[in-house]
Amino acid sequence: MKSATFSALALILLLPLAACGQSGRDTAPSGAASDVAQAAREVREQTSSSVIAAEVRKGIEQAKKELVSKDISLGSIHVGSGPKPHDDSRPKAVITPQGTLVIAGKPVAATAEQHAMLVDYRQQIIGIAEAGMDIGAQGADIGISAAKQALWGAFTGKSDQEIEASIKPQTDQIQAAAMALCKRLPDMLASQQKLAAAMPEFKPYATMTQKDVDDCGNDMKDKDGKKGFAVFSD
């Protein structure tokens, strides 16, 4: 973590709240110290971990409901951290909640066995996407915690190293969850390959490779946080 990062986070939180804190306080003490102290109190109140967690969880639950109840576009699925492959020659294809493959708006006839494979592949996608959402929610909490601690650190003289150490248990948990997600990819790849072999119409959309599985753990371990892992990418 760099000093500039913490300073920027603190400043983003501090400035608008300082302005809000000054409005309607005609009798409040003047001076930069009182304004900063008031802003700090408001940061603490408005960035309460429970409030942030509730809002993030609300959004995650809504996204999960939509994921289960809506069509999954095969063109939007991208596994790995590399650039998303583009193939404009492919017609739009989706798997419906009922497990029907629809290409260019037309349902593709499937045997009972093929249908079961479509349902399994869709469930593999949903399971990994939901796990990714939960990891994202944890990351949001850590981001707020880091910003708050950067602000308090300005008052208490804590170093960036001390702040980083204080949130390390949380980041370690996310790392473990991310690695657990990576371990689920082989099953998703196997499901995709099985479906592609059994259903030629699906094969052009089977873009996940063994390299994506192999690279997942390495991407998660990137020390600079520049790499990432995507299951859906618009």
Side-chain angles (χ1 to χ4, degrees), residues 61-175:
E61 292 306 317
Q62 179 60 34
K64 286 182 178 180
K65 288 179 182 178
E66 293 181 1
L67 188 63
V68 171
S69 63
K70 294 185 177 182
D71 296 346
I72 291 180
S73 173
L74 297 180
S76 69
I77 298 172
H78 171 47
V79 179
S81 63
K84 178 186 175 184
H86 292 280
D87 185 351
D88 295 335
S89 66
R90 296 179 306 175
K92 181 179 179 181
V94 302
I95 300 178
T96 70
Q98 293 74 34
T100 299
L101 176 63
V102 179
I103 299 178
K106 298 179 180 180
V108 178
T111 65
E113 183 180 9
Q114 290 170 331
H115 179 261
M117 293 179 191
L118 283 163
V119 171
D120 179 70
Y121 181 59
R122 179 183 163 93
Q123 289 303 314
Q124 293 285 345
I125 295 169
I126 289 174
I128 290 177
E130 288 181 338
M133 290 179 194
D134 289 336
I135 293 171
Q138 288 179 277
D141 274 348
I142 287 183
I144 291 297
S145 176
K148 288 172 66 176
Q149 292 192 53
L151 180 59
W152 309 142
F155 296 120
T156 62
K158 285 186 178 180
S159 67
D160 289 348
Q161 290 75 19
E162 290 174 314
I163 295 171
E164 185 174 2
S166 68
I167 63 172
K168 190 176 185 301
Q170 294 169 278
T171 58
D172 285 348
Q173 288 179 3
I174 289 185
Q175 183 83 0

